[in-house]
Amino acid sequence: MSKGTLLYAQSGGVTAVINATASAVISTARAKGIKVLAARNGILGALREDLIDTSKETAAAIAALAHTPGGAFGSCRYKLKSLEADRGKYERLLEVLRAHDVCWFLYNGGNDSADTAWKVSQLAKAFDYDLTCIGVPKTIDNDLAVTDTCPGFGSAAKYTAVSVREAALDVAAMAETSTKVFVYEAMGRHAGWLAAAAGLAGQGADDAPHIILLPERAYDEAAFLAKVKQVVERVGYCVVVASEGIQTADGRFVADAGGGTDSFGHTQLGGVASQLAARVKDGLGYKVHWTLPDYLQRSARHLASKTDWEQAQAVGKAAVQFALKGQNAVMPVIVRTSDTPYRWKIEAAPLHKVANHEKKMPAGFIRRDGFGITDKARAYLAPLIKGEAPLPYGSDGLPKYVTLKNVAVKKKLPAFEA
Amino acid sequence: MSKGTLLYAQSGGVTAVINATASAVISTARAKGIKVLAARNGILGALREDLIDTSKETAAAIAALAHTPGGAFGSCRYKLKSLEADRGKYERLLEVLRAHDVCWFLYNGGNDSADTAWKVSQLAKAFDYDLTCIGVPKTIDNDLAVTDTCPGFGSAAKYTAVSVREAALDVAAMAETSTKVFVYEAMGRHAGWLAAAAGLAGQGADDAPHIILLPERAYDEAAFLAKVKQVVERVGYCVVVASEGIQTADGRFVADAGGGTDSFGHTQLGGVASQLAARVKDGLGYKVHWTLPDYLQRSARHLASKTDWEQAQAVGKAAVQFALKGQNAVMPVIVRTSDTPYRWKIEAAPLHKVANHEKKMPAGFIRRDGFGITDKARAYLAPLIKGEAPLPYGSDGLPKYVTLKNVAVKKKLPAFEA
């Protein structure tokens, strides 16, 4: 008699610790004697019946997964629409799950994925198929509802705070004869959590970052330039951290201002940092440098937060436990029970409460002048970057990241074009 | 009877380990009972008589300096011209040195600084002033002559290799439905050493980085785009690392192609990565992301190479020893005595052999197709990123970087406008 299998899939942008969640899911299930399949390239693999047999991986490889960034089985940007619009796909998904005797489906992603997992759970019920669906939280954007924080965010936040502090020391040393303004572009299209975390890089009023621009506040160029000038005149240099998603009061993304084509008709790719840098150069005449860390900020496992790493593993472990207990359509979320000392626990939250919500920075986290974070924000953010997640390095000076074998499971169904 | 003082100054772009050199200089001199002054903001402080009394710093602070990035006393971009053109400044410099009983002048920088230190030594001789001038090597560009490598380079190289490997894992996981081409911009205006170091991120033919663009080879857009297409079709994605200084065969910087102003008359700031990304998008239609780490790559003490860190301290210690032995107009350089196992020692090289030269990548380090590094380059680069330099973290999850008191020495001379 088959015990049933567990299917795990990763979704959306990967993080420095999503594989730590995968590692915890697999090792927890293994300890219970349960076979774990993984979908290749997220939900696409589930639709195409392109599944990976994780039992082919050694225990050492699964352990090493816990310190390897990226998405070990592949992830994807692919959103299933409503049950009505994409009914064929949802039914195909159930068909694949059934063909591989999947009793537990764990979908590791953001609010879209929570929504998908919820819909699959509803459909399974309608088809009288005994399936337990669990959403497992992940996103560097920290914008999931209900959970106190999202695995992946704390590590990206630590990367941001450390990088801003280090670059600020560089700028401070050279400011008299070189760069006076430095602009750091943080990910966050709708919510400014990562840019806000840069605030942890300094404590005093004159510490970097001197200006944080958040999408929760309208970008006002005149006020921004005036503030830059004031900081440079007082401190000698100015470090600016900007969310990629900042907009003017009339709703235009600052990042899009450049875009378009150059005089040769070539595409110009925009970006908030380069735009702000150009404005500072034009408006104030200061020498300016900027950085766009892009994927480096979400893949920097070498600078992962221990808190984040532990939480990434905890949600993976809890997801399996909830699944085995038949707690359908839930997500393991992080509940903060104390700021100082920082204490947290995992609870099960209904998926529909997480799905399709987007948690922005509360007004009380943003300084009155809009250019920084409050003590309340600091109290929230500070514990999330604490501790250094262990990471083995090889004799070559590089972290020892693992590449899995990712052996495909034999297909049982006809092909399907997803 | 005064024993004389030692003056130390930092010059040019700072690195993750230039303060490790400073720490070694100060602690070595202290152990010999010699007073160390530091010039604030490099040579500018020496000209302005804006000197710092390092004896006001605790032993703990000087020890912590060894793991703090940036330039603790300030650095500057300020090049003294020829003895004829800037005679007044050189004489002022000697006047300041004499006023503070400076017997040993240590100038920590690149080839410009080696040149300045050499000129000062010649002038002192002409004025019959007993001064020993030492150039101390530093630059992430790795372009100094004579020395096998430059303190600062190994750490930036490690940052580059680790960051490229991590970002590649991210891109690989998402490539099917998202970004297929990722471009990383490395510092290096004339020499491609840092971009080359990215080659250490992978071993096999299909490992990232798949393409490295070096300023030592002309940029050929058609060949580049053809190679990107070939890699994406074979591997599924393509990671490109480009030196900021790559040029077309007719000598135009690729980074300057954008520049100019946008349709609003606003300045557009260029950059190689954004230019290449736009070409890939226009020419091949792939989704593309790019990163410009900028100062992050030279200030990332959190990812410093132990080899580099040890060498940074060794040149500082040797500089003091050479100075005290009266070895005038020399630079402590790193001599490699073996690749495997990697062995090195410090020797004294005449400053004039280092001054004003620029060491590019040898032709034998660049692959025949121009898109990667050879095994010879690998053998040279590999030891430089080995080992992880120790770094204490605070309970706040941030590295414990020190800020010195930088107490000014009382001025003895009239003001001087440098």
Coordinates of all heavy atoms in Angstrom, one line a residue, chain A residues 290-362:
Chain A
W290 N 26.7 55.5 -8.3 CA 25.5 54.7 -7.8 C 25.7 53.2 -8.0 O 26.6 52.8 -8.8 CB 24.3 55.2 -8.6 CG 24.0 54.6 -9.9 CD1 23.3 53.5 -10.2 CD2 24.6 55.0 -11.2 NE1 23.3 53.2 -11.6 CE2 24.1 54.1 -12.2 CE3 25.5 56.0 -11.6 CZ2 24.5 54.2 -13.5 CZ3 25.8 56.1 -12.9 CH2 25.3 55.2 -13.9
T291 N 24.9 52.5 -7.3 CA 25.0 51.0 -7.5 C 23.6 50.4 -7.7 O 22.6 50.9 -7.1 CB 25.7 50.3 -6.3 OG1 25.7 48.9 -6.5 CG2 24.9 50.6 -5.0
L292 N 23.6 49.4 -8.5 CA 22.4 48.6 -8.7 C 22.8 47.2 -8.4 O 23.3 46.5 -9.3 CB 22.0 48.8 -10.2 CG 20.8 47.9 -10.7 CD1 19.5 48.3 -10.0 CD2 20.6 48.0 -12.2
P293 N 22.6 46.7 -7.2 CA 23.0 45.4 -6.9 C 22.2 44.3 -7.6 O 22.7 43.2 -7.8 CB 22.8 45.3 -5.3 CG 22.8 46.7 -4.9 CD 22.1 47.4 -6.0
D294 N 21.0 44.6 -7.9 CA 20.1 43.7 -8.6 C 20.1 42.3 -8.0 O 19.9 42.2 -6.8 CB 20.6 43.6 -10.1 CG 19.5 43.0 -11.0 OD1 18.4 43.6 -11.2 OD2 19.8 41.9 -11.6
Y295 N 20.3 41.2 -8.7 CA 20.2 39.9 -8.2 C 21.2 39.6 -7.0 O 21.0 38.7 -6.3 CB 20.4 38.8 -9.3 CG 19.2 38.8 -10.3 CD1 19.4 38.2 -11.5 CD2 18.0 39.2 -10.0 CE1 18.4 38.2 -12.5 CE2 16.9 39.2 -10.9 CZ 17.2 38.7 -12.1 OH 16.1 38.6 -13.1
L296 N 22.3 40.4 -7.0 CA 23.3 40.1 -5.9 C 22.6 40.2 -4.6 O 22.9 39.4 -3.7 CB 24.4 41.1 -6.0 CG 25.2 41.2 -7.3 CD1 26.5 42.0 -7.0 CD2 25.5 39.9 -7.9
Q297 N 21.6 41.1 -4.4 CA 21.0 41.3 -3.1 C 20.1 40.1 -2.7 O 19.9 40.0 -1.5 CB 20.2 42.6 -3.0 CG 18.9 42.6 -3.8 CD 18.5 44.1 -4.1 OE1 17.9 44.8 -3.3 NE2 18.7 44.5 -5.4
R298 N 19.6 39.4 -3.6 CA 18.7 38.3 -3.2 C 19.4 36.9 -3.3 O 18.8 35.9 -2.9 CB 17.4 38.3 -4.0 CG 17.5 37.9 -5.4 CD 16.2 38.0 -6.1 NE 16.2 37.2 -7.3 CZ 15.3 37.3 -8.3 NH1 14.2 38.0 -8.2 NH2 15.4 36.5 -9.4
S299 N 20.6 36.9 -3.8 CA 21.3 35.6 -3.9 C 22.6 35.5 -3.0 O 23.2 34.5 -2.9 CB 21.8 35.4 -5.3 OG 22.7 36.4 -5.8
A300 N 22.8 36.6 -2.2 CA 24.0 36.6 -1.4 C 23.9 35.7 -0.1 O 23.9 36.2 1.0 CB 24.3 38.1 -1.0
R301 N 24.0 34.5 -0.4 CA 23.9 33.5 0.7 C 25.1 33.7 1.7 O 25.1 33.4 2.8 CB 23.9 32.1 0.2 CG 23.9 31.0 1.3 CD 22.8 31.1 2.3 NE 22.8 30.1 3.3 CZ 23.6 30.1 4.3 NH1 24.4 31.1 4.6 NH2 23.6 29.1 5.2
H302 N 26.2 34.3 1.1 CA 27.4 34.4 1.9 C 27.2 35.5 3.0 O 28.0 35.6 3.9 CB 28.6 34.9 1.0 CG 28.6 36.3 0.6 ND1 28.0 36.7 -0.6 CD2 29.0 37.4 1.1 CE1 28.1 38.0 -0.7 NE2 28.7 38.5 0.3
L303 N 26.1 36.2 2.9 CA 25.8 37.2 4.0 C 24.4 37.0 4.6 O 23.8 37.9 5.1 CB 25.9 38.6 3.3 CG 26.2 39.8 4.1 CD1 27.4 39.6 5.0 CD2 26.5 41.0 3.2
A304 N 24.0 35.7 4.6 CA 22.6 35.4 5.1 C 22.5 35.7 6.6 O 23.5 35.4 7.3 CB 22.2 34.0 4.7
S305 N 21.4 36.1 7.0 CA 21.0 36.3 8.4 C 20.7 34.9 9.0 O 20.0 34.1 8.4 CB 19.8 37.2 8.5 OG 19.0 36.9 9.5
K306 N 21.3 34.7 10.2 CA 21.0 33.4 10.8 C 19.5 33.3 11.2 O 18.9 32.3 11.1 CB 21.9 33.3 12.1 CG 21.9 31.9 12.7 CD 22.9 31.7 13.8 CE 22.9 30.3 14.3 NZ 23.1 30.2 15.7
T307 N 19.0 34.4 11.7 CA 17.5 34.5 12.0 C 16.7 34.0 10.8 O 15.8 33.2 10.9 CB 17.1 35.9 12.4 OG1 17.9 36.3 13.5 CG2 15.7 36.0 12.8
D308 N 17.0 34.6 9.7 CA 16.2 34.4 8.5 C 16.4 32.9 8.0 O 15.5 32.2 7.7 CB 16.8 35.3 7.4 CG 16.0 35.2 6.1 OD1 14.7 35.1 6.1 OD2 16.6 35.2 5.0
W309 N 17.6 32.4 8.1 CA 18.0 31.1 7.7 C 17.2 30.1 8.6 O 16.7 29.1 8.1 CB 19.5 30.9 7.8 CG 20.0 29.6 7.4 CD1 20.0 29.0 6.2 CD2 20.8 28.7 8.3 NE1 20.7 27.8 6.2 CE2 21.1 27.6 7.5 CE3 21.1 28.7 9.6 CZ2 21.8 26.5 8.0 CZ3 21.8 27.6 10.1 CH2 22.2 26.5 9.3
E310 N 17.2 30.4 9.9 CA 16.5 29.5 10.8 C 15.0 29.5 10.5 O 14.3 28.4 10.6 CB 16.8 29.8 12.3 CG 18.2 29.5 12.7 CD 18.6 30.0 14.1 OE1 17.9 30.9 14.6 OE2 19.7 29.6 14.5
Q311 N 14.5 30.7 10.2 CA 13.0 30.8 9.9 C 12.7 30.1 8.6 O 11.6 29.4 8.5 CB 12.6 32.2 9.9 CG 12.6 32.8 11.3 CD 12.3 34.3 11.4 OE1 12.4 35.0 10.4 NE2 12.0 34.8 12.5
A312 N 13.6 30.2 7.6 CA 13.4 29.5 6.3 C 13.3 28.0 6.6 O 12.4 27.3 5.9 CB 14.5 29.8 5.4
Q313 N 14.1 27.5 7.4 CA 14.1 26.0 7.7 C 12.8 25.7 8.6 O 12.2 24.6 8.3 CB 15.3 25.6 8.4 CG 16.5 25.7 7.5 CD 17.8 25.4 8.2 OE1 18.3 24.3 8.3 NE2 18.4 26.5 8.8
A314 N 12.5 26.6 9.5 CA 11.3 26.3 10.4 C 10.0 26.2 9.6 O 9.2 25.4 9.8 CB 11.3 27.4 11.5
V315 N 9.9 27.1 8.6 CA 8.6 27.1 7.8 C 8.6 25.8 7.0 O 7.5 25.2 6.7 CB 8.3 28.3 6.9 CG1 8.2 29.6 7.8 CG2 9.4 28.5 5.9
G316 N 9.7 25.3 6.5 CA 9.8 24.1 5.7 C 9.4 22.9 6.6 O 8.6 22.1 6.2
K317 N 10.0 22.9 7.7 CA 9.7 21.7 8.7 C 8.2 21.8 9.1 O 7.5 20.7 9.0 CB 10.6 21.9 9.9 CG 10.5 20.7 10.9 CD 11.4 21.0 12.0 CE 11.2 19.9 13.1 NZ 12.0 20.1 14.3
A318 N 7.7 22.9 9.4 CA 6.3 23.1 9.9 C 5.4 22.7 8.7 O 4.3 22.1 8.9 CB 6.0 24.5 10.4
A319 N 5.7 23.1 7.5 CA 4.9 22.8 6.4 C 4.6 21.3 6.2 O 3.5 20.9 6.0 CB 5.5 23.4 5.1
V320 N 5.7 20.5 6.4 CA 5.5 19.1 6.3 C 4.7 18.6 7.5 O 3.8 17.7 7.3 CB 6.9 18.4 6.3 CG1 6.7 16.9 6.4 CG2 7.7 18.8 5.1
Q321 N 4.9 19.1 8.7 CA 4.1 18.7 9.9 C 2.7 19.0 9.7 O 1.8 18.2 10.0 CB 4.7 19.3 11.1 CG 6.1 18.8 11.5 CD 6.8 19.6 12.5 OE1 6.5 20.8 12.8 NE2 7.8 19.0 13.2
F322 N 2.4 20.2 9.3 CA 1.0 20.6 9.0 C 0.3 19.7 8.0 O -0.8 19.3 8.1 CB 0.9 22.1 8.5 CG 1.3 23.1 9.6 CD1 1.5 24.4 9.2 CD2 1.4 22.8 10.9 CE1 1.9 25.4 10.1 CE2 1.8 23.7 11.9 CZ 2.0 25.0 11.5
A323 N 1.1 19.4 6.9 CA 0.6 18.6 5.8 C 0.2 17.2 6.3 O -0.9 16.7 6.1 CB 1.6 18.5 4.7
L324 N 1.1 16.6 7.1 CA 0.9 15.3 7.6 C -0.3 15.2 8.6 O -0.9 14.2 8.7 CB 2.2 14.7 8.2 CG 3.4 14.6 7.3 CD1 4.5 13.8 8.0 CD2 3.0 13.9 6.0
K325 N -0.5 16.3 9.2 CA -1.7 16.4 10.1 C -3.0 16.7 9.4 O -4.0 16.9 10.0 CB -1.5 17.4 11.2 CG -0.5 16.9 12.4 CD -0.6 17.8 13.6 CE 0.5 19.0 13.4 NZ 0.5 19.9 14.6
G326 N -2.8 16.9 8.1 CA -4.0 17.2 7.2 C -4.5 18.6 7.4 O -5.7 18.9 7.1
Q327 N -3.7 19.5 7.8 CA -4.1 20.9 7.9 C -4.1 21.6 6.6 O -3.2 22.2 6.2 CB -3.2 21.7 8.9 CG -3.4 21.2 10.3 CD -2.5 22.1 11.3 OE1 -1.5 21.7 11.7 NE2 -3.0 23.3 11.6
N328 N -5.2 21.4 5.9 CA -5.3 21.8 4.5 C -5.5 23.3 4.3 O -6.0 24.0 5.2 CB -6.5 21.1 3.8 CG -6.5 21.3 2.3 OD1 -5.5 21.4 1.7 ND2 -7.7 21.2 1.7
A329 N -4.9 23.8 3.2 CA -5.1 25.2 2.8 C -4.6 26.2 3.9 O -5.2 27.2 4.2 CB -6.5 25.6 2.5
V330 N -3.4 25.9 4.4 CA -2.8 26.8 5.4 C -1.4 27.1 5.0 O -0.8 26.5 4.1 CB -2.7 26.2 6.9 CG1 -4.1 25.9 7.4 CG2 -1.8 25.0 6.9
M331 N -0.8 28.1 5.6 CA 0.6 28.5 5.5 C 1.2 28.6 6.8 O 0.7 29.2 7.7 CB 0.7 29.9 4.7 CG 2.1 30.4 4.6 SD 2.2 32.0 3.8 CE 2.3 31.5 2.1
P332 N 2.4 28.0 7.0 CA 3.1 28.3 8.3 C 3.6 29.7 8.3 O 4.4 30.1 7.3 CB 4.3 27.3 8.2 CG 4.4 26.8 6.8 CD 3.2 27.1 6.1
V333 N 3.2 30.5 9.2 CA 3.7 31.9 9.3 C 4.5 32.1 10.6 O 4.4 31.3 11.5 CB 2.5 32.9 9.3 CG1 1.7 32.8 7.9 CG2 1.5 32.6 10.5
I334 N 5.3 33.2 10.5 CA 6.1 33.5 11.7 C 5.4 34.5 12.6 O 4.9 35.5 12.1 CB 7.5 34.1 11.2 CG1 8.2 33.0 10.4 CG2 8.3 34.6 12.3 CD1 9.1 33.6 9.3
V335 N 5.3 34.2 13.8 CA 4.6 35.0 14.8 C 5.6 35.5 15.8 O 6.3 34.8 16.4 CB 3.5 34.3 15.5 CG1 2.8 35.1 16.6 CG2 2.5 33.7 14.6
R336 N 5.7 36.8 15.9 CA 6.7 37.4 16.8 C 6.0 37.6 18.2 O 5.0 38.1 18.3 CB 7.1 38.8 16.3 CG 8.1 39.5 17.2 CD 8.4 41.0 16.7 NE 8.9 41.0 15.3 CZ 10.0 41.7 14.9 NH1 10.6 42.5 15.8 NH2 10.3 41.7 13.6
T337 N 6.7 37.0 19.2 CA 6.1 37.1 20.5 C 6.9 38.1 21.4 O 6.3 38.5 22.4 CB 6.2 35.7 21.2 OG1 7.5 35.2 21.2 CG2 5.3 34.7 20.4
S338 N 8.0 38.5 20.9 CA 8.8 39.5 21.7 C 9.8 40.2 20.8 O 10.5 39.5 20.0 CB 9.4 38.9 22.9 OG 10.5 39.6 23.4
D339 N 10.0 41.5 21.0 CA 11.0 42.2 20.3 C 12.4 42.1 21.0 O 13.4 41.8 20.3 CB 10.7 43.7 20.3 CG 9.9 44.1 19.0 OD1 9.9 43.4 18.0 OD2 9.3 45.2 19.1
T340 N 12.4 42.3 22.3 CA 13.7 42.2 23.1 C 13.5 41.4 24.3 O 12.8 41.9 25.2 CB 14.1 43.6 23.5 OG1 13.7 44.6 22.5 CG2 15.6 43.7 23.7
P341 N 14.0 40.2 24.4 CA 14.8 39.5 23.4 C 13.8 39.1 22.3 O 12.6 38.8 22.6 CB 15.4 38.3 24.1 CG 14.4 38.0 25.2 CD 13.9 39.4 25.6
Y342 N 14.4 39.0 21.1 CA 13.5 38.6 20.0 C 13.1 37.1 20.1 O 13.9 36.2 20.3 CB 14.3 38.7 18.7 CG 13.6 38.3 17.4 CD1 12.4 38.9 17.1 CD2 14.2 37.4 16.5 CE1 11.7 38.5 15.9 CE2 13.5 37.0 15.4 CZ 12.3 37.6 15.1 OH 11.6 37.2 13.9
R343 N 11.8 36.9 20.1 CA 11.3 35.5 20.1 C 10.2 35.4 19.1 O 9.4 36.3 18.8 CB 10.6 35.3 21.5 CG 11.7 35.1 22.6 CD 11.2 34.3 23.8 NE 12.1 34.3 24.8 CZ 12.1 35.1 25.9 NH1 11.1 36.0 26.0 NH2 13.0 35.1 26.8
W344 N 10.1 34.2 18.5 CA 9.1 33.9 17.5 C 8.7 32.5 17.5 O 9.4 31.6 18.1 CB 9.7 34.3 16.1 CG 11.0 33.6 15.8 CD1 12.3 34.0 16.1 CD2 11.2 32.4 15.0 NE1 13.2 33.1 15.7 CE2 12.6 32.1 15.0 CE3 10.3 31.5 14.4 CZ2 13.1 31.0 14.3 CZ3 10.8 30.4 13.8 CH2 12.2 30.1 13.7
K345 N 7.6 32.2 16.9 CA 7.1 30.8 16.8 C 6.4 30.7 15.4 O 6.1 31.7 14.8 CB 6.2 30.5 17.9 CG 4.9 31.3 18.0 CD 4.0 31.0 19.2 CE 2.8 31.9 19.1 NZ 1.9 31.6 20.2
I346 N 6.1 29.4 15.1 CA 5.4 29.2 13.8 C 4.0 28.8 14.1 O 3.7 28.0 15.0 CB 6.1 28.0 13.1 CG1 7.5 28.3 12.8 CG2 5.3 27.7 11.8 CD1 7.8 29.3 11.7
E347 N 3.1 29.4 13.4 CA 1.6 29.0 13.5 C 1.1 28.8 12.1 O 1.7 29.2 11.1 CB 0.8 30.1 14.1 CG 1.0 30.2 15.7 CD 0.2 31.2 16.3 OE1 -0.6 31.9 15.6 OE2 0.2 31.4 17.6
A348 N -0.1 28.1 12.0 CA -0.7 27.9 10.7 C -1.7 29.0 10.5 O -2.6 29.3 11.4 CB -1.4 26.5 10.7
A349 N -1.6 29.7 9.3 CA -2.6 30.7 9.0 C -3.4 30.2 7.7 O -2.8 29.6 6.8 CB -1.9 32.0 8.7
P350 N -4.7 30.5 7.6 CA -5.4 30.1 6.5 C -4.9 30.8 5.2 O -4.6 32.0 5.2 CB -6.9 30.6 6.7 CG -6.9 31.0 8.2 CD -5.5 31.3 8.6
L351 N -4.7 30.0 4.1 CA -4.1 30.6 2.9 C -4.9 31.7 2.3 O -4.2 32.7 1.8 CB -4.1 29.5 1.8 CG -2.9 28.5 1.8 CD1 -3.0 27.5 0.7 CD2 -1.6 29.3 1.7
H352 N -6.2 31.7 2.4 CA -7.0 32.8 1.8 C -6.7 34.1 2.5 O -7.0 35.2 2.0 CB -8.4 32.5 1.8 CG -9.1 32.4 3.1 ND1 -9.6 33.5 3.8 CD2 -9.3 31.3 3.9 CE1 -10.1 33.1 5.0 NE2 -9.9 31.8 5.1
K353 N -6.2 34.1 3.7 CA -5.9 35.4 4.4 C -4.6 36.0 3.9 O -4.3 37.1 4.1 CB -5.8 35.1 5.9 CG -7.1 34.9 6.6 CD -7.0 35.2 8.1 CE -8.4 35.2 8.7 NZ -8.3 35.3 10.2
V354 N -3.7 35.1 3.3 CA -2.4 35.6 2.9 C -2.5 35.9 1.4 O -1.9 36.9 0.9 CB -1.3 34.4 3.0 CG1 0.0 34.9 2.6 CG2 -1.3 34.0 4.5
A355 N -3.3 35.1 0.6 CA -3.4 35.2 -0.8 C -3.7 36.6 -1.3 O -4.7 37.3 -0.7 CB -4.3 34.2 -1.4
N356 N -3.0 37.1 -2.3 CA -3.3 38.4 -3.0 C -3.3 39.6 -2.1 O -3.9 40.7 -2.5 CB -4.7 38.2 -3.7 CG -4.6 37.1 -4.7 OD1 -3.6 37.0 -5.4 ND2 -5.6 36.3 -4.8
H357 N -2.8 39.6 -0.9 CA -2.7 40.8 -0.1 C -1.2 41.3 -0.3 O -0.4 40.5 -0.7 CB -2.9 40.5 1.4 CG -4.3 40.2 1.7 ND1 -5.3 41.2 1.8 CD2 -5.0 39.0 1.9 CE1 -6.5 40.6 2.0 NE2 -6.3 39.3 2.1
E358 N -1.0 42.5 0.0 CA 0.4 43.0 -0.2 C 0.6 43.9 1.1 O -0.1 44.9 1.2 CB 0.5 43.8 -1.5 CG 1.9 44.1 -1.9 CD 1.9 44.8 -3.3 OE1 1.3 45.8 -3.5 OE2 2.6 44.2 -4.1
K359 N 1.6 43.6 1.9 CA 1.8 44.3 3.1 C 2.9 45.4 2.9 O 4.0 45.2 2.7 CB 2.3 43.4 4.2 CG 2.4 44.1 5.6 CD 2.6 43.1 6.7 CE 4.0 42.4 6.6 NZ 4.2 41.4 7.7
K360 N 2.4 46.7 2.9 CA 3.3 47.8 2.8 C 3.9 48.2 4.2 O 3.4 47.7 5.2 CB 2.6 49.0 2.1 CG 2.1 48.6 0.8 CD 1.8 49.8 -0.1 CE 1.4 49.3 -1.5 NZ 1.3 50.4 -2.4
M361 N 4.8 49.1 4.2 CA 5.4 49.6 5.4 C 4.3 50.5 6.1 O 3.7 51.3 5.5 CB 6.5 50.6 5.1 CG 7.7 49.9 4.5 SD 9.0 49.7 5.7 CE 9.5 51.4 6.1
P362 N 4.1 50.2 7.4 CA 3.1 51.0 8.1 C 3.6 52.5 8.2 O 4.8 52.7 8.2 CB 3.0 50.4 9.5 CG 3.8 49.2 9.4 CD 4.7 49.2 8.2

